[in-house]
């Protein structure tokens, strides 16, 4: 059995709290534990590893997939069923519509020999989705031990604090455990832990040091940093592979990798270009500055009259109504002359393109109100193509 | 029809369709008046032939234009697929984030054309990459449950082999509560069942792949709600190892919408690459080139008509489909209203048909303005012969048609030369005549050169406007007003005409009336409409109803035995209420709280 400290790094205090809560296998534990912390602070990983390493019977559920309560309850019961008959008996699919049925079936299943004398753990990951499901689920799970009269503990993993979960009608308060963010030292340790087999640990650790130096100010997400580490490592090794430097020439390696990492921050980190494109750029050794990111393509070509409708909508959305007289008493020749023959169709198509959105009530059929959702730069570009100086007509620029 | 029912229910009686509707064959519409019904059958056949040829040309064009885009997409998909299959023991692959390969397809704002593009794309993908291609639209997926249901039902429809028939029953059950797990297990079943050695009915190259990926096309990405997209992407990224998904986003505006719809946490689960389709303006240029600037098709558009069609395109909707529909309408209208269009076909056939022209048609030719101008220029003996001798006329027409044909081939040749000649200049806009003007104006430094003078000479000799050529009305369609009437509809005017003057549409002799009078037998809504036109802003319903009743009773000479006068009044009252509700639905009046028993009038004048 791999030792827990080797697998779970930098979470010693949290692991020890959890272990003391779990106690011995047959001990009743606290009915519900609420674990929260930022993304990639190790909540899912630590919980899963702990339960697997200690070989405790558990069911792991991701609440994102369960958009109806029925899916959630049925999956928990079926997975438990698999657990108890893991000797190979065939399992029929259990159906369960309500929480009442769930409690009843749960009691039946946990009567089995393999599950009788030990704590069963139910882990609900992304527990914030429970708040959008039926109102009785969350309080029910919090009290599951009491409702079923069995040795069960429910763990809730979430990024949102407990205060936002607490239902108005009151509930059983769980044990709240906070997973703080990793410090830069922790990140260094964790990232250097999984180094590629071909290179030494020190070499990789130096690389991670440089990587963190560039990215730590903008990104503390462990998953993202690992991804970036893998993507850029080939570039780091390039001088060594080509024979221009050896593993200890830290300055040369730093000079080679640092501008590359800075460019990565503006492109592949922001998902302006994809990671496969980034890898290709590195392999072909082309200049990454040539690749245009997604945000470079902002230009939208619109038909002539639609441009005017959009400009009019923008002005109507952002100028107070009382200023209209001041700007438009002398009609701008172009707007007055255009005959909006297909006005309705064009407004609908602009809404489809999400350049206008409907505001106000849906049932106001005779007077729908729209608002223009494009940015100032966008509308200036459009106005320029039809020779209309929109700045002159905007109240905010007087 | 009576029903026996205790409660006051509402019953619907559907008419029985015993009498089959006799549809009039399209050709008979061509027999309009005596003047224009000459050779109507032949004209219709010619129209159909030309249209078929034009249509297949546009379809071929579409395929060619899409070819580049589709090829690069297929390459992307194949690359992603091999990424799925890569050895997962590689250090990099174990640590890297497993991203969903995504193609962001920028198609342009002409959303009406996207459907066709997606259909051809689906076909191309099914032939080359994978049989599991699903397209979803935002209006079918208001929430994640419907999203997954639609996805599941389309996927099960994808495989049409014998093996899937057993699986189809169990999947039908799963339709009611489908989840990501059920999709993954379906996929695993279906890929294990298919033995690559067994012969497949349709798909050839895609069957060689062991576990082909599932491609999901979101046709209109801007219309999807953020929550549905986010939840789906999070779910599918967790099941990527057992359900290999590739996404294609159909984007109409710009790829910035991806960052607007999805937060960073979700877009980091995607590996996004950008693909752009051909700009619609270039598409239009190619369509014009292939259909009009060619001697392959005898049909041509005059300058005004072409302006209308291109203006609708450039100013309103950028839609190639609508442009082609406009072209078809012009073609049909030309063959419908111009009896001489029987000669609008390829030259050998036209020469043959000249011999069978009736006397009426010869008269039609003599009446053409361009022919009259031509006759005036001839010597007087020839003039007399042309105007009286049918045979001489027909011979002359033959040579004139040949000249017209030669004129066209020279025209386009020289036009293309000039275009090539001046194509390296900046700023040449769309449109033949405009382009030439622009080019000649910009070329200041070659005013004096010999090439320019000779080019000018070429222009003068060959690029005469078509109106100067005799018999041009045969091939040129120029009824711009008719086209505009059909394409830029004015619903208000049509409504007013229909209500004010029902004879215009209904063609019932009894409805003919002088201006200002209301025929008593007109439909109720017409009577109510005419009466309301005489009112001011607020209309008193009681007065209106009485006026209505007066007009209607004057018309009816109903059998007094049949219905009592009280029942008759009730019927008239009901008819009045119906007419008023119809007018309200059409937007002419609306209920108002300003005065009781009054309605407010919303329109004034004719429209």
């Amino acid at each position: 059995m791999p030792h827990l400290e080797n697998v779970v790094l930098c979470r010693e205090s949290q692991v020890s709290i959890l272990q003391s809560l779990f106690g011995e296998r047959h001990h009743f534990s606290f009915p519900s534990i609420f674990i929260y912390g930022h993304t990639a602070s190790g909540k899912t990983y630590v919980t899963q590893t702990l339960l697997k390493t200690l070989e405790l019977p558990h069911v792991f559920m991701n609440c994102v997939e369960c958009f109806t309560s029925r899916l959630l309850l049925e999956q928990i019961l079926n997975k438990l069923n698999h657990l108890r008959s893991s000797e190979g008996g065939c399992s029929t699919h259990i159906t369960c519509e309500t929480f009442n049925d769930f409690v009843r079936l749960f009691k039946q299943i946990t009567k089995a020999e393999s599950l009788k004398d030990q704590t069963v753990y139910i882990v609900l990951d992304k527990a914030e989705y429970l708040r959008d499901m039926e109102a009785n689920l969350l309080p029910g799970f919090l009290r599951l031990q009491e409702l079923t009269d069995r040795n069960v503990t429910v763990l809730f993993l979430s990024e949102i604090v407990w205060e936002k979960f607490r239902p108005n009608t009151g509930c059983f308060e769980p044990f709240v455990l906070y997973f703080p963010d990793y410090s830069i030292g922790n990140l260094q340790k964790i990232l250097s832990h999984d180094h590629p087999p071909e290179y030494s640990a020190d070499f990789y650790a130096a690389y991670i040091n440089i990587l963190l130096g560039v990215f730590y100010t903008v990104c503390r997400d462990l998953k993202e940093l690992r991804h970036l580490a893998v993507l850029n490592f080939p570039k780091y090794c390039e001088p060594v592979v080509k024979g221009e430097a050896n593993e200890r020439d830290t300055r040369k390696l730093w000079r080679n990798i640092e501008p590359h990492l800075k460019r990565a921050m503006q492109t592949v980190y922001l998902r302006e270009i994809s990671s496969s494109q980034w890898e290709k750029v590195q392999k072909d050794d082309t200049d990454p500055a040539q690749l245009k990111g997604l945000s470079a393509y902002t230009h939208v070509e619109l038909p002539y009259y639609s441009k005017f409708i959009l400009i009019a909508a923008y002005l109507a959305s952002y100028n107070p109504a009382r200023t209209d007289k001041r700007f438009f008493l002398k009609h701008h020749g172009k707007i007055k002359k255009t005959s909006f023959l297909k006005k309705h169709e064009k407004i609908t198509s602009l809404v489809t393109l999400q350049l206008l959105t409907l505001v106000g009530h849906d049932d106001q059929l005779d007077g729908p109100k729209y608002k223009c959702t494009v940015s100032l730069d966008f509308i200036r570009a459009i106005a320029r193509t039809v020779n209309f100086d929109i700045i002159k007509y905007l109240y905010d620029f007087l | 029809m009576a029903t026996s029912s205790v409660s006051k229910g509402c019953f619907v009686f559907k008419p029985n369709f015993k009498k089959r509707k006799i549809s009039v064959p399209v050709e008979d519409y061509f027999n309009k008046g005596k003047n224009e019904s000459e050779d109507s059958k032949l004209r219709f056949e010619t129209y159909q032939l030309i249209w078929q040829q034009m249509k297949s040309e546009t379809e071929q064009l579409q395929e060619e234009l899409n070819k580049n885009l589709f090829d690069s997409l297929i390459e992307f998909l194949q690359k992603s697929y091999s990424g799925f299959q890569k050895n997962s023991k590689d250090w990099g692959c174990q640590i890297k984030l497993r991203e969903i390969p995504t193609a962001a397809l920028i198609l342009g704002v002409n959303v009406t054309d996207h459907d066709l593009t997606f259909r051809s794309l689906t076909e191309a993908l099914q032939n080359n990459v994978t049989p599991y291609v699903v397209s979803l639209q935002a209006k079918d997926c208001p929430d994640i449950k419907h999203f997954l249901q639609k996805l599941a039902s389309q996927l099960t429809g994808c495989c049409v082999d014998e093996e899937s028939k057993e699986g189809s029953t169990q999947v039908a059950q799963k339709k009611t509560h489908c989840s990501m797990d059920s999709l993954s297990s379906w996929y695993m079943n279906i890929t294990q069942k298919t033995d690559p050695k067994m012969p497949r009915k349709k798909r050839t190259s895609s069957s060689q792949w062991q576990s082909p990926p599932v491609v999901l096309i979101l046709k209109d990405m801007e219309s999807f709600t953020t929550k549905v997209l986010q939840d789906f992407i999070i779910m599918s990224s967790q099941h990527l190892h057992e359900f290999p998904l590739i996404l294609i986003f159909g984007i109409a505006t710009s790829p910035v919408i991806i960052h607007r719809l999805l937060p960073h946490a979700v877009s980091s689960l995607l590996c996004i690459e950008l693909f752009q389709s051909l700009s619609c303006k270039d598409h239009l240029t190619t369509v014009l080139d292939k259909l009009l600037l060619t001697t392959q098709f005898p049909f041509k558009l005059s300058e005004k008509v072409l302006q209308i069609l291109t203006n609708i395109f450039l100013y309103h909707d950028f839609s190639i489909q609508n442009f082609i529909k406009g072209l078809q309408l012009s073609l049909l209208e030309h063959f419908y209203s111009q009896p001489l269009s029987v000669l609008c076909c390829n030259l050998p056939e036209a020469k043959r048909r000249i011999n069978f022209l009736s006397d009426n048609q010869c008269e039609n030719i003599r009446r053409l303005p361009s022919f009259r101008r031509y006759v005036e220029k001839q010597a007087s003996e020839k003039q007399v012969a042309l105007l009286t001798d049918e045979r001489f006329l027909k011979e002359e027409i033959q040579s004139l048609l040949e000249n017209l044909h030669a004129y066209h081939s020279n025209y386009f040749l020289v036009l293309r030369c000039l275009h090539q000649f001046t194509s390296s200049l900046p700023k040449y806009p769309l449109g033949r005549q405009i382009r030439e003007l622009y080019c000649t104006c910009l070329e200041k430094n070659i005013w004096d050169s010999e090439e320019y003078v000779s080019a000018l000479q070429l222009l003068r000799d060959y690029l005469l406007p078509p109106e100067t050529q005799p018999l041009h009305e045969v091939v040129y369609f120029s009824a711009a007003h008719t086209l505009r009437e059909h394409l830029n509809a004015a619903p208000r005017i049509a409504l007013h005409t229909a209500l004010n003057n029902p004879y215009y549409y209904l063609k019932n002799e009894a409805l003919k009336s002088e201006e200002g009078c209301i025929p008593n037998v007109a439909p109720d809504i017409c009577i109510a409409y005419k009466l309301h036109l005489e009112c001011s802003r607020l209309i008193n319903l009681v007065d209106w109803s009485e006026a209505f009743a007066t007009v209607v009773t004057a018309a009816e000479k109903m059998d007094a035995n049949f219905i009592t006068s009280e029942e008759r009044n009730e019927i008239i009252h009901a008819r009045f209420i119906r007419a008023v509700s119809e007018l309200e639905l059409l937007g002419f009046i609306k209920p108002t709280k300003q005065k009781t028993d009054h309605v407010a009038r919303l329109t004034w004048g004719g429209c």
Side-chain angles (χ1 to χ4, degrees):
Chain A
M1 186 168 78
H3 221 215
L4 213 53
E5 285 90 56
N6 294 342
V7 194
V8 178
L9 299 169
C10 308
R11 282 283 178 234
E12 290 82 18
S13 73
Q14 284 79 25
V15 168
S16 70
I17 293 178
L18 280 174
Q19 276 185 310
S20 56
L21 277 176
F22 292 168
E24 299 281 318
R25 202 169 262 269
H26 54 275
H27 283 172
F28 269 68
S29 162
F30 206 77
S32 41
I33 304 176
F34 185 82
I35 301 176
Y36 73 105
H38 279 150
T39 39
S41 46
K43 311 179 290 290
T44 315
Y45 177 69
V46 167
T47 318
Q48 264 189 325
T49 319
L50 189 61
L51 291 170
K52 279 203 197 118
T53 320
L54 299 177
E55 289 178 4
L56 301 169
H58 67 284
V59 168
F60 192 87
M61 288 300 310
N62 193 329
C63 297
V64 179
E65 299 178 11
C66 309
F67 42 88
T68 60
S69 54
R70 182 186 178 155
L71 279 171
L72 176 64
L73 301 174
E74 282 184 4
Q75 283 195 28
I76 295 179
L77 290 173
N78 283 308
K79 287 190 181 176
L80 266 181
N81 214 10
H82 277 219
L83 268 187
R84 76 155 173 189
S85 55
S86 52
E87 294 84 44
C90 77
S91 45
T92 51
H93 184 87
I94 305 178
T95 55
C96 166
E97 305 254 347
T98 63
F99 201 75
N100 209 1
D101 288 338
F102 175 74
V103 167
R104 179 177 51 88
L105 291 164
F106 186 84
K107 286 167 83 156
Q108 274 180 10
I109 295 179
T110 44
K111 268 203 209 129
E113 273 307 312
S114 47
L115 296 176
K116 217 164 50 160
D117 291 321
Q118 39 185 344
T119 321
V120 175
Y121 296 92
I122 299 181
V123 185
L124 299 174
D125 199 1
K126 296 273 193 309
E128 58 264 20
Y129 282 80
L130 280 176
R131 301 178 299 171
D132 302 326
M133 290 199 241
E134 281 159 8
N136 62 344
L137 277 186
L138 181 59
F141 276 117
L142 286 164
R143 280 184 188 276
L144 196 61
Q145 198 182 77
E146 180 186 332
L147 289 172
T148 55
D149 200 22
R150 294 273 187 272
N151 190 357
V152 60
T153 294
V154 182
L155 288 107
F156 299 87
L157 308 179
S158 174
E159 291 176 19
I160 300 185
V161 296
W162 171 244
E163 280 70 32
K164 302 244 189 241
F165 271 78
R166 191 182 285 127
N168 293 339
T169 47
C171 64
F172 180 82
E173 293 283 323
F175 182 89
V176 176
L177 180 59
Y178 175 54
F179 271 49
D181 288 347
Y182 289 117
S183 68
I184 189 167
N186 287 343
L187 286 174
Q188 170 85 29
K189 195 168 167 202
I190 298 175
L191 286 170
S192 324
H193 181 76
D194 32 33
H195 63 87
E198 306 89 57
Y199 294 92
S200 70
D202 290 333
F203 179 66
Y204 195 66
Y207 166 62
I208 295 292
N209 202 2
I210 299 175
L211 183 84
L212 280 176
V214 174
F215 278 98
Y216 187 68
T217 45
V218 297
C219 173
R220 311 265 166 109
D221 185 333
L222 180 60
K223 283 192 274 212
E224 192 66 37
L225 286 169
R226 285 173 97 201
H227 180 69
L228 287 166
V230 169
L231 276 188
N232 294 299
F233 190 60
K235 179 77 179 174
Y236 184 73
C237 303
E238 211 181 57
V240 177
V241 165
K242 283 194 194 161
E244 294 164 8
N246 71 10
E247 291 194 5
R248 293 184 195 284
D249 275 338
T250 37
R251 265 188 87 204
K252 217 174 185 173
L253 293 168
W254 180 83
R255 257 206 311 263
N256 177 43
I257 194 67
E258 203 238 0
H260 186 84
L261 286 178
K262 283 234 152 74
R263 263 194 303 258
M265 189 153 67
Q266 286 161 1
T267 53
V268 75
Y269 170 62
L270 295 175
R271 295 299 187 278
E272 286 286 319
I273 67 175
S274 72
S275 43
S276 55
Q277 281 173 317
W278 182 253
E279 285 178 318
K280 188 162 179 296
V281 156
Q282 284 181 94
K283 230 195 300 177
D284 299 343
D285 216 10
T286 48
D287 184 16
Q290 285 175 358
L291 268 180
K292 275 166 83 175
L294 289 183
S295 298
Y297 295 91
T298 48
H299 180 64
V300 179
E301 190 60 52
L302 285 173
Y304 192 66
Y305 290 154
S306 304
K307 288 184 192 173
F308 278 107
I309 289 191
L310 196 63
I311 292 174
Y314 188 85
L315 289 171
S317 301
Y318 291 103
N319 275 349
R322 54 191 163 78
T323 58
D324 281 346
K325 229 186 182 178
R326 174 187 185 161
F327 287 120
F328 298 112
L329 214 38
K330 255 196 193 171
H331 276 288
H332 190 282
K334 275 212 173 97
I335 296 183
K336 202 169 185 197
K337 266 191 236 160
T338 50
S339 48
F340 293 119
L341 288 170
K342 291 190 185 175
K343 200 163 32 165
H344 245 103
E345 255 178 51
K346 281 178 285 195
I347 291 185
T348 341
S349 54
L350 285 176
V351 172
T352 317
L353 296 173
Q354 297 277 304
L355 298 171
L356 295 179
T357 46
L358 192 64
V359 293
H361 272 294
D362 279 333
D363 44 349
Q364 267 179 334
L365 282 176
D366 52 346
K369 291 191 169 54
Y370 294 94
K371 181 181 153 85
C372 189
T373 56
V374 298
S375 66
L376 180 61
D377 290 330
F378 187 83
I379 202 73
R380 277 175 85 172
I382 296 237
R384 217 174 296 138
T385 64
V386 293
N387 287 329
F388 180 66
D389 186 4
I390 193 167
I391 297 294
K392 267 204 307 207
Y393 291 85
L394 280 173
Y395 184 69
D396 293 328
F397 286 87
L398 280 183
Chain B
M1 289 180 257
T3 59
S4 56
S5 139
V6 177
S7 61
K8 278 192 183 175
C10 188
F11 298 91
V12 174
F13 294 100
K14 287 192 184 163
N16 42 1
F17 289 103
K18 279 192 190 141
K19 272 201 274 180
R20 258 189 78 224
K21 284 191 190 167
I22 310 164
S23 53
V24 185
V26 186
E27 303 145 29
D28 289 357
Y29 281 114
F30 271 53
N31 293 330
K32 200 167 115 175
K34 237 202 310 178
N35 282 348
E36 293 154 2
S37 68
E38 297 285 334
D39 301 315
S40 59
K41 191 160 176 296
L42 200 54
R43 274 155 50 199
F44 182 69
E45 283 168 10
T46 319
Y47 151 75
Q48 276 198 320
L49 182 66
I50 295 185
W51 174 242
Q52 280 308 320
Q53 290 174 338
M54 279 187 164
K55 196 160 114 162
S56 62
E57 185 74 30
T58 47
E59 281 167 8
Q60 211 182 12
L61 194 65
Q62 190 85 317
E63 251 183 62
E64 275 170 27
L65 289 173
N66 282 337
K67 191 172 175 331
N68 276 344
L69 176 65
F70 287 2
D71 282 344
S72 46
L73 265 176
I74 290 175
E75 199 187 305
F76 169 74
L77 288 170
Q78 285 171 338
K79 197 175 52 157
S80 316
Y81 171 71
S82 56
F84 280 142
Q85 308 289 78
K86 226 185 339 186
N87 190 1
S88 57
K89 291 220 192 328
D90 181 23
W91 165 77
C93 292
Q94 276 189 324
I95 302 191
K96 243 194 323 190
L97 284 176
R98 199 92 199 273
E99 294 168 321
I100 306 177
T102 309
L105 194 53
I106 315 292
L107 290 170
V109 297
N110 46 331
V111 284
T112 42
D113 294 346
H114 292 178
D115 232 359
L116 193 60
T117 315
F118 281 123
R119 252 184 283 151
S120 345
L121 176 64
T122 309
E123 224 182 274
L125 289 179
Q126 281 177 329
N127 288 338
N128 291 312
V129 178
T130 166
Y132 310 123
V133 182
V134 176
S135 320
L136 290 179
Q137 270 186 312
K139 60 179 186 195
D140 296 331
C141 314
D143 59 21
I144 191 71
K145 186 166 126 187
H146 290 98
F147 191 103
L148 287 178
Q149 271 181 1
K150 274 247 127 51
L151 177 61
S153 67
Q154 280 200 32
L155 270 180
T156 52
C158 278
C159 33
V160 279
D161 325 65
E162 298 92 46
E163 301 100 306
S164 65
K165 282 200 188 119
E166 310 107 54
S168 63
T169 43
Q170 36 176 192
V171 184
Q173 286 164 8
K174 286 196 180 147
K175 195 178 167 188
T176 45
H177 36 91
C178 62
S179 68
M180 208 64 216
D181 279 340
S182 60
L183 282 175
S184 313
S185 48
W186 169 86
Y187 180 79
M188 245 178 294
N189 278 341
I190 209 78
T191 47
Q192 276 168 8
K193 272 189 193 163
T194 55
D195 189 350
K197 289 190 206 125
M198 282 180 69
R200 279 207 179 210
K201 281 184 203 166
K202 277 192 218 173
R203 325 288 174 209
T204 47
S205 47
S206 56
S207 62
Q208 295 160 10
W209 292 10
Q210 191 60 12
S211 43
V214 176
V215 177
L216 174 60
I217 305 178
L218 299 180
K219 285 198 205 175
D220 46 352
M221 203 200 164
E222 281 96 348
S223 310
F224 277 91
T225 46
T226 314
K227 188 154 182 3
V228 169
L229 275 181
Q230 276 187 38
D231 286 348
F232 178 71
I233 292 175
I234 295 176
M235 282 200 280
S236 41
S237 102
Q238 278 161 358
H239 286 253
L240 207 54
H241 50 281
E242 40 191 40
F243 189 74
L245 179 70
I246 299 183
L247 289 171
I248 297 185
F249 291 158
I251 299 176
T253 49
S254 72
V256 176
I257 193 81
I258 299 181
H259 289 307
R260 220 190 280 177
L261 277 178
L262 302 174
H264 181 82
V266 175
S267 59
S268 58
L269 298 171
L270 302 172
C271 179
I272 309 172
E273 278 191 38
L274 209 58
F275 297 89
Q276 286 217 323
S277 76
L278 192 66
S279 109
C280 35
K281 284 187 183 165
D282 291 341
H283 197 162
L284 180 69
T285 312
T286 324
V287 166
L288 277 176
D289 202 51
K290 282 276 157 64
L291 291 184
L292 292 173
L293 300 184
T294 170
T295 49
Q296 191 188 357
F297 301 111
F299 178 71
K300 299 282 172 281
L301 298 176
S302 78
E303 198 240 318
K304 268 216 152 62
V305 173
L306 190 59
Q307 276 288 65
I308 290 183
L309 288 178
T310 45
N311 281 354
I312 293 180
F313 180 85
L314 289 174
Y315 287 16
H316 288 275
D317 59 7
F318 277 0
S319 167
I320 292 286
Q321 301 277 54
N322 288 348
F323 183 84
I324 294 181
K325 275 244 146 43
L327 201 59
Q328 187 185 12
L329 183 62
S330 316
L331 187 70
L332 186 61
E333 188 68 34
H334 179 63
F335 277 90
Y336 179 66
S337 48
Q338 172 62 274
L340 289 172
S341 56
V342 67
L343 297 178
C344 177
C345 51
N346 59 8
L347 191 58
E349 178 65 25
K351 281 167 55 168
R352 199 183 62 85
R353 288 183 189 176
I354 292 176
N355 297 325
F356 299 110
L357 280 181
S358 67
D359 289 345
N360 258 336
Q361 289 278 50
C362 291
E363 271 311 303
N364 286 336
I365 289 196
R366 292 197 183 102
R367 279 193 224 119
L368 288 179
S370 63
F371 189 76
R372 278 202 218 138
R373 284 197 298 267
Y374 176 75
V375 167
E376 276 158 26
K377 289 195 216 128
Q378 307 304 316
S380 56
E381 303 90 37
K382 199 171 174 196
Q383 279 186 3
V384 171
L386 280 175
L387 291 174
T388 51
D389 186 353
E390 250 64 11
R391 220 162 38 130
F392 186 69
L393 178 68
K394 288 184 184 176
E395 281 168 18
E396 195 66 19
I397 294 173
Q398 293 235 7
S399 64
L400 283 178
L401 268 184
E402 278 172 12
N403 289 346
L404 188 65
H405 190 81
Y407 157 78
H408 275 132
S409 33
N410 291 331
Y411 187 96
F412 295 129
L413 200 64
V414 177
L415 181 71
R416 288 219 164 77
C417 287
L418 190 62
H419 175 53
Q420 286 295 340
F421 188 42
T422 53
S423 61
S424 53
L425 289 176
K427 258 204 191 180
Y428 62 91
L430 211 62
R432 299 181 282 172
Q433 284 94 345
I434 301 175
R435 218 192 299 157
E436 287 160 28
L437 277 175
Y438 239 129
C439 295
T440 48
C441 290
L442 285 170
E443 288 269 277
K444 286 195 195 111
N445 52 346
I446 65 162
W447 281 125
D448 305 322
S449 72
E450 287 177 347
E451 293 94 70
Y452 180 72
V453 171
S454 56
L456 206 54
Q457 192 61 36
L458 272 176
L459 279 177
R460 251 184 266 143
D461 291 342
Y462 291 114
L463 288 179
L464 299 163
E467 278 80 24
T468 56
Q469 300 298 311
L471 291 185
H472 74 274
E473 288 93 338
V474 172
V475 295
Y476 275 85
F477 172 63
S478 50
H481 61 279
T482 323
L483 194 67
R484 190 188 288 133
E485 233 174 61
H486 287 295
L487 292 179
N488 276 344
R492 283 282 293 277
I493 299 180
L495 263 182
H496 177 72
T497 315
L499 292 177
N500 217 12
N501 184 11
Y503 175 71
Y504 186 82
Y505 288 106
L506 294 177
K507 305 289 184 207
N508 183 350
E509 285 301 323
L511 290 174
K512 257 196 179 155
S513 71
E514 305 96 43
E515 273 299 312
C517 284
I518 309 171
N520 312 12
V521 292
D524 296 336
I525 188 177
C526 297
I527 298 176
Y529 180 77
K530 273 230 166 118
L531 287 171
H532 112 287
L533 280 181
E534 294 158 12
C535 300
S536 65
R537 203 172 56 90
L538 292 175
I539 310 176
N540 189 333
L541 277 174
V542 176
D543 294 341
W544 196 6
S545 150
E546 279 176 8
F548 179 86
T550 318
V551 175
V552 168
T553 39
E556 318 229 302
K557 289 157 181 104
M558 277 199 273
D559 242 328
N561 320 331
F562 223 154
I563 319 170
T564 63
S565 87
E566 205 177 279
E567 278 183 1
R568 193 166 51 174
N569 284 343
E570 273 186 19
I571 292 177
I572 291 179
H573 191 60
R575 284 165 64 181
F576 174 71
I577 293 177
R578 182 178 62 181
V580 167
S581 343
E582 284 172 355
L583 283 177
E584 187 182 326
L585 186 68
L586 289 171
F588 287 106
I589 55 171
K590 82 167 189 205
T592 174
K593 294 202 179 91
Q594 283 184 332
K595 269 192 191 175
T596 48
D597 286 341
H598 276 71
V599 288
R601 189 177 159 181
L602 292 177
T603 66
W604 276 268
C607 44

